Amino acid sequence: MEAIIQAAAQLLTDIGFEGLTTARVAERAGVSVGSLYQYFPNKQGLAAALVDHHAEKFSAAFSQTVEASGHGTLAETVEAMIEVAMAAHPQDPKLYRALNELAPRYRAEKVQEVGSRIAAIIKEQLARHRHEIAPDLDLGDAAALIEILLENVIHRAIERHPVSVSGERAMDQCRRMIMAYLTSGQRHAA
């Protein structure tokens, strides 16, 4: 199954979703079309599996890295969140764009589920550092906003969007925004 997913990802970047066929994927994976159909009923099912695979891969990497670093300071935890978010996304812009186009069509609920899971991990980590965070800040809201910020900054950096900051500068700016947001109290809210 892994060979089929990898072959589909390669073909998706090479020829796009419209040119992708189950026969081409089977050939690239070195399996029979019948074997492919045991796992995926059609190319739409394959597209959904690709989105799921990359979403789960990101979620697992994020969870493992952030939870492993969660016993240091708030700044170290935020740093780990930013680093893993940048590193765990598919760094091939063509694959990333293709997955972003497929996700809303074939697996929108999976994308929402993973976003919620990431926000829950962030909230759990923030709770460990509650003493370092502004007391008036709701941790659930903060976690949701951090997940949205990281996801959007990373999307734009990978997509090479015309309005983006890339690489280390993006990480620096995310770090500053998140830390300022988490540690500033109500005095700055007005």
Side-chain angles (χ1 to χ4, degrees):
M1 194 156 114
E2 184 67 28
I4 294 169
I5 294 289
Q6 293 303 322
Q10 291 168 359
L11 286 167
L12 189 62
T13 58
D14 292 347
I15 60 176
F17 186 67
E18 297 308 317
L20 186 116
T21 65
T22 53
R24 284 181 170 162
V25 172
E27 181 182 340
R28 174 77 60 101
V31 300
S32 70
V33 174
S35 293
L36 184 142
Y37 284 133
Q38 288 179 349
Y39 299 105
F40 312 104
N42 52 36
K43 87 176 195 176
Q44 291 76 15
L46 194 51
L50 264 171
V51 171
D52 286 358
H53 174 79
H54 285 281
E56 287 300 327
K57 190 174 169 182
F58 171 74
S59 180
F62 189 89
S63 177
Q64 181 180 15
T65 302
V66 172
E67 289 175 5
S69 71
H71 300 290
T73 65
L74 176 62
E76 290 168 340
T77 299
V78 168
E79 182 72 23
M81 287 180 207
I82 294 167
E83 285 181 9
V84 72
M86 288 294 276
H89 274 76
Q91 295 300 310
D92 178 344
K94 288 176 88 175
L95 175 60
Y96 188 78
R97 279 191 293 275
L99 290 170
N100 268 354
E101 289 173 14
L102 294 176
R105 289 194 294 183
Y106 300 108
R107 293 299 284 160
E109 70 282 355
K110 183 64 167 189
V111 173
Q112 291 173 344
E113 175 205 322
V114 169
S116 294
R117 202 179 321 152
I118 297 299
I121 293 166
I122 294 170
K123 181 180 178 184
E124 180 181 305
Q125 294 305 312
L126 294 180
R128 290 182 179 177
H129 300 286
R130 183 68 203 174
H131 64 283
E132 296 179 72
I133 297 172
D136 61 309
L137 197 61
D138 178 272
L139 296 184
D141 291 346
L145 289 171
I146 291 168
E147 189 275 333
I148 291 167
L149 171 71
L150 290 175
E151 188 70 14
N152 281 297
V153 168
I154 290 158
H155 282 202
R156 292 205 172 195
I158 292 170
E159 291 174 350
R160 290 171 180 61
H161 191 280
V163 182
S164 67
V165 179
S166 60
E168 189 61 37
R169 287 187 54 223
M171 290 174 66
D172 286 341
Q173 297 305 310
C174 283
R175 187 179 306 109
R176 289 182 72 187
M177 282 188 277
I178 292 169
M179 287 303 295
Y181 168 63
L182 292 174
T183 59
S184 67
Q186 285 181 325
R187 66 186 184 280
H188 297 292

